[in-house]
Every structure is written in structure tokens, then in C-alpha cells.
Amino acid sequence: MLSIKDLHVSVEGKDILKGLNLEVKPGEVHAIMGPNGSGKSTMAHILAGRDGYELIKGSILYQDQDLFDLSVEERAQRGIFLAMQYPVELPGVNNMTFLKESMNSIRRVNGQDELDAVAFMKLVKEKAALVELPEKLLKRDVNSGFSGGEKKRNEILQMALLEPKLGILDETDSGLDIDALRVVANGVNALRSPQRSMIVVTHYQRLLDYIKPDVVHVLANGRIVRSGGHSLALELEEKGYGWILEEDAA
Amino acid sequence: MNSSIIGQDWFQNTLLSNQPEIEKSKVLAVNNIQAKARNQLKHLVMPNRKQETWRYTDLNSLYEKMFKLNDRKTIDAIDVDEWIFPEQESYRLVMVNGRFNPQLSSLEGLSDRIIISAFSQLSAELQFDAARILQTINSFESDAFAQMNRSLFSDGFYIHVPKNTWIEKPIEIAYVNHSSDDQVLSQPSSLIILENDAQAKVVERYMSLDEAEYFFNGTSDIVLKKNAHLKHYRIQQESHNAYHLSRVALKQKNGSIYKNVNLALGGCWSRMDIQTAFEGQQASCDLQGVYTVRDQQYNDIHIDVKHQQPNCTSQEKFRGIIHGKGRAVFDGRILVSKDAQKTDAQLSNKNLLLVDDAEINTKPQLEIYADDVKCSHGTTVGKINPEHMFYLRARGIPEDQAYRMLCLGFAEQVLEAIEDKPIQNYIHGLLSNLL
């Protein structure tokens, strides 16, 4: 599915990723944990194609294709989905119109028929119920006046509609209370399948109680310094990141 | 030669070359209007850039051209295939190259208590009534283009809604132009009067069937009596080669409500002037609009809201989408005089700049002489937020479509207030095609 090799990336002349390696196979859920500023979000952004990052060296293959050959929208059309840490508000752009346009853009390039208004409405209501997003928010402008939790649920709603091959959750748990966290995690779990891979970027272990990862990685100083099972996340919860950073420095 | 002389010469030549056409009018009411305006013009100079309200306006390109009133006796056999409302569900008035076109107009089912008519189709008695009202209102008294409109007065529309009458069907007025032998001077004047407690909905569209070059110089006078309620949509979708100048003068009595939306899209040179005055309390005036600017286009909105009575509300909300290297002007003035306590007046003008090197002159002016008022104004010029673009593209939406969605979203801040779905849909379509 995804193969990142020796990835070096800088932002405004500052090195952020310094030799990142990651292999994700179909159906796997990988958690990326790490202290603030370790490069977790940079990695998520690079995968989605956000600009402002300079590739120094290294490669990313997605479904055996060089990811850097694809534009932002092409990546989305081929199944990469980034649930944003800070979903932007789009004043004047109706949420329903946006969801429909997004879905149909992806269907068009993949040779599928566009959904008509009735079929789309049925589908979107079904998925909105899954993430417990009030229907009235579908009629509003995208994310405008949404609470933090509603914005995150709207992200997961989009993921549920677009059914990506690779879902990347960028600190989706940040700012959520326990109820919202549970709803978001249920939404994500409903999407788990043997064909769909996920990368869950998080600072806290709590989300991983709800979304059980296959592999946990610790990203520090721009590299993955340790990988393990769910128990690694629990260990980090208990001891913090300090000991790993020390071991890595030694 | 300085521009004030150029303007005077241009006007004299225009008057001279159209003299035979004007003299044909045997209608005393029309002659009176023309004569009064010509008299007024003796004290006016044609606009030039030394005048404050015209300083951003390039008039020379207009003054280089000669325009002639349409003198054709026959009615143009044209077809307007694009209407906002179906024929059965609206009243239609059509003017082609400045002449009333009865074939394309339709007023079926109209009660004879209500007047919806071309000026030229009215009885002599009603023509005198309308002419008298126009002369009493005497709007844009010191605007030479407005007086030019009157001095070459040929036709226009008269809408009179008696008291306590609600016209449920919208009145769709189309000012249509198309290429002809001359560059046409189109100068309609319309007069809309809503008596006490009357309601109506009027859509004025300024359009062209081809890329004709012409000068549209029109005035709409509106009087809203007590508790009258008018929705007034104006859609300027002229040809790319057109010169468009249109004015609205509004007078509002107690408790009247005016809701107005302006779309200024077409023309190579376009200016809209709106002047409103409250003549009673508890009245509200809502002026909104969207203008766009493409390469080499000049688009200008001038608004003058006068609060002379207490307890009135006004809102001006305009959005500009500058997608080419042209020029936009927004000049919005609110005057609150000493006695206009408890005035609520809001003005907002935001511009979305999609290219470099375009020019935007935005000039909000609040003049407040009362001490117990709620007034605000704000103007901005911004670009498309790259974060917004990224968000849409990251959901698979192609770049050009994402760009269009964000531009429409920007305009939506105005368009969402339109309560009439067919109009809203029509405008959405116009903007989508344009951007």
C-alpha cells in the first residue's frame, strides 16, 4: 500500500524529517506517536500533498506509484484521505454541496456514475448517523460555526463517504472530550477492512484504546525510533517520551 | 483638450445628431420632461475626472464614441429565450435597443387597477401624471448623465401599485440590446410607485443578444409609500463591449421596506449609482450586490444613503470578485443627519482579488451628525486562502472547480439572502459561467 523510504523533508530551511521509513500493508492500522514537533503532522501533510515542504531526498510509493508525481486532488482521487487536525471553515460553501462535489469528483475519475441528488441524500444521511453528526449541520457552510467535535465528525463523515484506500488521521483526537472521541473512533472502526489501511497520528495513547492499531511507531527527531505493538503505546502513556529520546540519543 | 471640454462637445454632438429623433415626439408630457432637463443641463458640465464622484472613472473612452437613439419604426423581430420566470408566472416588459417591444412583453391577467406599462403605451392622462411625478421627484438633479437621459427622453416603464395591493407575480423587465447599424443609445426611464401597504417584486435585467457596442444610460425612480414593500433585483449582464450607466433613486415613507440586490457583471465600462432617502420613520433599506471585474473591465458602484429621519435601518453589503486586470470602484456613503437618532446603518464591502495588478478603489464614507446611532463600516481586499484550496483539493475536487466553489462561496454571503429561488439559481448560473 504505502512505502516510505529514507524520507528527508525540510520546512523553510529547517530539517523536519530526517530519514523516515515506514511500510504499511493493506488492512493494517499504524499508529504514529511522538512528542510535539517530532514531525508527525509533517508526515501526514506530505502524504496528502500539501505544499510548503521541501523534499531533500527519499521516496514515497503509494500502490507502487511515486506519490510525488500526483497532485493533491489526484492523490485523493486514488484513495488517500487526510482527516485534518484543524479542518478549515469554508464560508459560503454549503456542506452538502461540498460533500457531493467531492464524492462525484472522485467517482468521475474512477469511471463510476455520479450519484444523483436522491441517492446522495440517502447515503449522506446514513453516514451522518454513523458519526452522530446532526443533519442540520449538513445544510450549513462547511465547518462554519461547528464545534471542535463537530468538525472532527465532519472529517470522519467525509472519510466514510469517500471510502479511501489509505486513511490518515492527523491528531483527530486533539480537543475532543470522551464522548466525541468514542463517536469518532466508532466511525473509524466501522471503516476498517482488509483492503483499507490507516495511519493514526496522535500524541496520546487514549485514542488507541478505541482504535486498536496493528503497529505503534514512535516518531522523534524526524525518524521512527521505535516500533512495537499496542503495548508500546501503553508504555509511553505510563513513562512519557523522555526515556525513548534518551535511548535514541545514546 | 481637457476632459471637461471633451465631455461638453461629446454631449452637444450627441444631442445634435439625435435632434431629429427627439423632435418627432408629439407628446406634450415627453416634451416637457425633455425641455426641463435641457434647461437644467445649461447649469451643468458633463462629468470629468476633476469632479470628486467621477475621479476614478475613465470617461474619455466613452466620450470618443458616438451613440444614436434607435429610430427604427419597425419592431425588431428578436427572440429572448432566457427568462428567469416562466411566462405564465410573471409579467414581462421588454425594451429592445431602447424601444418598447410589445410582442415580447406580456401582461396577461393583470388587474386594471394596477399599471404596468411602457410610458409610450399609456393614455395621455397617465403620461402627464407620470411625467409630473418624475419632474417633482427630480432625482439626480446635478448629475449631467441623468439630465441627458431626460433631455433625450423617449420611453420607459411606469409601474403603479394601488394601496393595499400585493402583486404576487414578479415583474421581469428586460432591457435587451443587439447590434445594429449605429451604436445605439438606450435611455429608458422607469418609475415605480407603491402606494400604502402595497407589495411588488421587480427584476430589471440589462442584457445583450450579441457583443454589441452601445451606451445604456437609464434611470429608475422608486417611491415607496407607507408600509410598502418592494423587492428589487437588478442584473447587469451587458455585452463585453457595452457602456452601462444606470441610476436608482429611492424615496421611502414610514415603515416601508426596500430589499435590493444588484449584480454587475458585464460591460467594458459600467457604473451603477444608487441614492436613497428616508422620508418617514421605521423604514428599512437593504442594498446588496456582487460585482465582477475581468481583464480591461471597469466596474463601478456608487451608493449614497441619506438618513434624515429617526429610527430607520439601512444595510449596504457588496462583494467584488476581481478575476482580471481591470478596475473596480466601490464608493459607499452613509449620511446620518442631526435628527436621525436611533439610526442603524451598516456598510460592508469585501473584495476577492484573484489576480495581481488589478485595481480596487474602495471608499466607505460615514458622515454622522446624530449622537444616538448604531453605525459601522468595513472594507477588505483579500485573496483566496491557500488552506481553503488545499482542503477542497484534498477531497478530490479539481483545482479549477475548487477555485470556482470558493469564489461562489464568497459571493454567497450576498446571494444567500435572496428569497426567490429562481433568481438565486439564475445568478448562480451566471457567476459559475463567468468564473
Side-chain angles (χ1 to χ4, degrees):
Chain A
M1 178 70 71
L2 183 74
S3 171
I4 303 179
K5 289 215 162 72
D6 194 28
L7 189 67
H8 291 250
V9 169
S10 70
V11 178
E12 289 168 354
K14 187 168 175 255
D15 292 338
I16 304 289
L17 297 182
K18 306 169 205 168
L20 180 85
N21 292 289
L22 184 68
E23 292 285 334
V24 180
K25 295 198 170 60
E28 288 181 349
V29 174
H30 288 239
I32 310 283
M33 301 186 68
N36 290 329
S38 59
K40 301 190 299 291
S41 283
T42 298
M43 189 201 78
H45 290 162
I46 289 275
L47 290 173
R50 192 191 189 109
D51 52 12
Y53 299 95
E54 196 191 344
L55 176 68
I56 314 271
K57 68 173 188 173
S59 67
I60 305 178
L61 290 182
Y62 168 69
Q63 294 187 316
D64 300 322
Q65 181 166 21
D66 185 347
L67 195 64
F68 293 110
D69 287 344
L70 301 176
S71 68
V72 177
E73 54 267 43
E74 283 168 335
R75 295 178 197 201
Q77 288 158 1
R78 288 171 198 221
I80 291 183
F81 181 93
L82 170 66
M84 316 258 176
Q85 183 178 5
Y86 304 110
V88 290
E89 301 191 2
L90 301 179
V93 181
N94 177 269
N95 203 17
M96 196 76 106
T97 310
F98 157 69
L99 294 171
K100 187 159 177 252
E101 193 62 43
S102 161
M103 194 155 179
N104 282 333
S105 295
I106 292 177
R107 290 179 72 93
R108 266 196 300 274
V109 290
N110 289 300
Q112 293 166 288
D113 288 338
E114 292 186 22
L115 287 185
D116 63 41
V118 178
F120 175 75
M121 188 71 90
K122 186 167 173 287
L123 184 69
V124 81
K125 283 186 175 173
E126 180 191 312
K127 302 293 186 189
L130 175 77
V131 294
E132 297 178 29
L133 188 78
E135 274 184 31
K136 65 171 199 262
L137 297 187
L138 295 171
K139 297 186 186 114
R140 288 231 213 117
D141 292 346
V142 180
N143 297 326
S144 287
F146 286 29
S147 70
E150 287 165 344
K151 283 181 185 170
K152 297 296 173 77
R153 277 185 254 173
N154 202 32
E155 293 293 292
I156 305 304
L157 167 65
Q158 293 165 40
M159 186 157 94
L161 284 169
L162 301 181
E163 300 185 325
K165 298 189 176 74
L166 173 63
I168 304 150
L169 308 181
D170 185 12
E171 308 223 9
T172 297
D173 51 340
S174 67
L176 294 188
D177 64 26
I178 190 69
D179 295 323
L181 187 71
R182 186 186 41 78
V183 170
V184 163
N186 286 346
V188 172
N189 285 330
L191 285 165
R192 288 180 80 152
S193 89
Q195 289 77 41
R196 182 169 297 130
S197 310
M198 302 223 198
I199 297 174
V200 180
V201 175
T202 180
H203 184 73
Y204 303 103
Q205 178 305 119
R206 196 176 299 112
L207 179 66
L208 305 180
D209 286 342
Y210 296 91
I211 305 173
K212 293 277 188 313
D214 298 304
V215 193
V216 174
H217 307 276
V218 178
L219 182 59
N221 301 322
R223 293 179 300 117
I224 285 175
V225 295
R226 186 173 292 233
S227 301
H230 189 202
S231 58
L232 176 58
L234 297 172
E235 204 176 344
L236 289 169
E237 171 84 346
E238 197 180 321
K239 301 203 270 183
Y241 290 105
W243 61 281
I244 285 192
L245 297 179
E246 279 165 28
E247 280 185 18
D248 184 47
Chain B
M1 199 165 16
N2 79 40
S3 60
S4 69
I5 296 173
I6 296 172
Q8 291 309 103
D9 284 357
W10 174 81
F11 176 68
Q12 286 309 325
N13 289 335
T14 306
L15 204 59
L16 220 57
S17 67
N18 287 294
Q19 195 67 24
E21 190 53 33
I22 303 163
E23 281 171 0
K24 280 182 202 158
S25 172
K26 298 279 183 292
V27 184
L28 211 54
V30 170
N31 292 341
N32 285 347
I33 291 176
Q34 292 175 344
K36 182 170 179 192
R38 251 174 272 173
N39 206 32
Q40 210 140 326
L41 270 167
K42 286 180 191 152
H43 311 289
L44 296 174
V45 288
M46 289 308 285
N48 59 70
R49 295 187 86 159
K50 286 182 190 145
Q51 297 168 340
E52 181 57 27
T53 55
W54 292 93
R55 60 182 276 228
Y56 298 113
T57 310
D58 172 25
L59 290 154
N60 287 349
S61 68
L62 175 72
Y63 291 157
E64 279 165 12
K65 305 217 158 56
M66 263 298 130
F67 301 95
K68 284 194 78 177
L69 292 167
N70 174 7
D71 58 1
R72 247 172 292 178
K73 286 283 162 288
T74 53
I75 286 159
D76 302 49
I78 59 147
D79 190 22
V80 178
D81 54 7
E82 197 184 54
W83 292 94
I84 297 177
F85 297 99
E87 189 166 1
Q88 295 73 24
E89 292 164 31
S90 63
Y91 299 115
R92 287 180 180 171
L93 291 171
V94 181
M95 204 167 265
V96 179
N97 283 357
R99 294 281 179 208
F100 177 59
N101 186 312
Q103 272 88 336
L104 293 170
S105 302
S106 81
L107 295 166
E108 214 180 291
L110 181 68
S111 148
D112 51 13
R113 296 173 51 247
I114 302 168
I115 301 166
I116 301 177
S117 172
F119 198 84
S120 57
Q121 308 289 302
L122 293 169
S123 69
E125 195 186 344
L126 283 173
Q127 283 196 2
F128 274 106
D129 280 354
R132 188 179 42 78
I133 296 166
L134 280 177
Q135 302 211 29
T136 313
I137 295 173
N138 199 17
S139 60
F140 294 99
E141 184 177 17
S142 53
D143 181 328
F145 280 113
Q147 295 309 321
M148 174 180 162
N149 167 286
R150 294 282 194 264
S151 70
L152 297 169
F153 186 97
S154 51
D155 210 344
F157 294 118
Y158 182 37
I159 296 171
H160 181 268
V161 188
K163 70 176 184 190
N164 208 19
T165 305
W166 296 12
I167 307 183
E168 282 175 23
K169 289 186 189 176
I171 303 163
E172 187 168 351
I173 300 176
Y175 302 99
V176 185
N177 285 278
H178 65 88
S179 295
S180 69
D181 303 340
D182 294 313
Q183 293 174 329
V184 169
L185 175 61
S186 183
Q187 295 216 112
S189 276
S190 59
L191 173 61
I192 302 171
I193 299 174
L194 270 57
E195 298 290 348
N196 295 354
D197 301 295
Q199 295 199 9
K201 188 186 295 173
V202 177
V203 185
E204 291 188 282
R205 292 167 66 200
Y206 313 91
M207 58 205 276
S208 176
L209 298 179
D210 50 34
E211 286 306 317
E213 189 171 22
Y214 51 89
F215 179 31
F216 180 96
N217 178 33
T219 306
S220 304
D221 281 286
I222 302 170
V223 179
L224 302 184
K225 303 278 178 71
K226 280 183 190 168
N227 303 320
H229 190 161
L230 178 67
K231 284 186 189 153
H232 187 200
Y233 300 97
R234 304 171 71 229
I235 304 174
Q236 188 272 82
Q237 49 185 125
E238 305 274 28
S239 101
H240 281 182
N241 299 313
Y243 290 76
H244 173 99
L245 186 53
S246 62
R247 290 162 296 270
V248 172
L250 170 72
K251 293 195 187 307
Q252 287 185 262
K253 305 285 185 193
N254 277 28
S256 61
I257 297 173
Y258 179 66
K259 284 189 184 174
N260 158 271
V261 178
N262 305 276
L263 261 281
L265 310 177
C268 61
W269 186 102
S270 165
R271 171 166 166 151
M272 288 180 166
D273 278 82
I274 303 177
Q275 294 189 353
T276 81
F278 294 109
E279 296 181 341
Q281 301 192 24
Q282 312 289 354
S284 93
C285 170
D286 187 5
L287 311 173
Q288 305 204 29
V290 175
Y291 51 90
T292 59
V293 173
R294 58 172 198 283
D295 283 346
Q296 314 297 328
Q297 185 183 19
Y298 162 75
N299 205 340
D300 185 344
I301 309 270
H302 265 70
I303 292 177
D304 193 355
V305 174
K306 285 195 176 72
H307 282 267
Q308 283 145 327
Q309 295 280 336
N311 298 310
C312 291
T313 304
S314 70
Q315 177 183 222
E316 293 169 48
K317 191 171 171 185
F318 283 78
R319 299 288 178 264
I321 301 175
I322 319 302
H323 61 107
K325 292 180 185 180
R327 205 148 57 87
V329 177
F330 177 84
D331 185 341
R333 176 169 175 260
I334 299 173
L335 172 74
V336 182
S337 33
K338 194 160 59 69
D339 300 326
Q341 299 294 5
K342 304 283 182 194
T343 286
D344 183 340
Q346 315 294 332
L347 184 159
S348 135
N349 171 231
K350 291 184 183 172
N351 294 279
L352 183 61
L353 191 60
L354 300 169
V355 292
D356 296 325
D357 309 330
E359 190 180 328
I360 303 172
N361 305 104
T362 170
K363 191 174 152 200
Q365 308 172 67
L366 274 179
E367 272 180 58
I368 304 172
Y369 299 99
D371 53 15
D372 182 15
V373 298
K374 205 163 86 186
C375 296
S376 76
H377 71 83
T379 65
T380 61
V381 177
K383 297 191 169 189
I384 287 217
N385 185 331
E387 299 282 327
H388 294 180
M389 268 311 265
F390 174 69
Y391 192 80
L392 291 175
R393 293 177 66 201
R395 297 298 177 252
I397 298 170
E399 196 169 5
D400 56 344
Q401 175 64 7
Y403 169 91
R404 206 174 298 123
M405 284 171 78
L406 292 174
C407 289
L408 284 174
F410 179 76
E412 198 58 29
Q413 296 167 26
V414 163
L415 303 182
E416 68 185 3
I418 297 178
E419 291 155 4
D420 295 276
K421 270 284 162 207
I423 295 177
Q424 198 181 46
N425 292 340
Y426 183 74
I427 293 172
H428 278 154
L430 285 181
L431 281 172
S432 297
N433 288 337
L434 197 78
L435 298 167

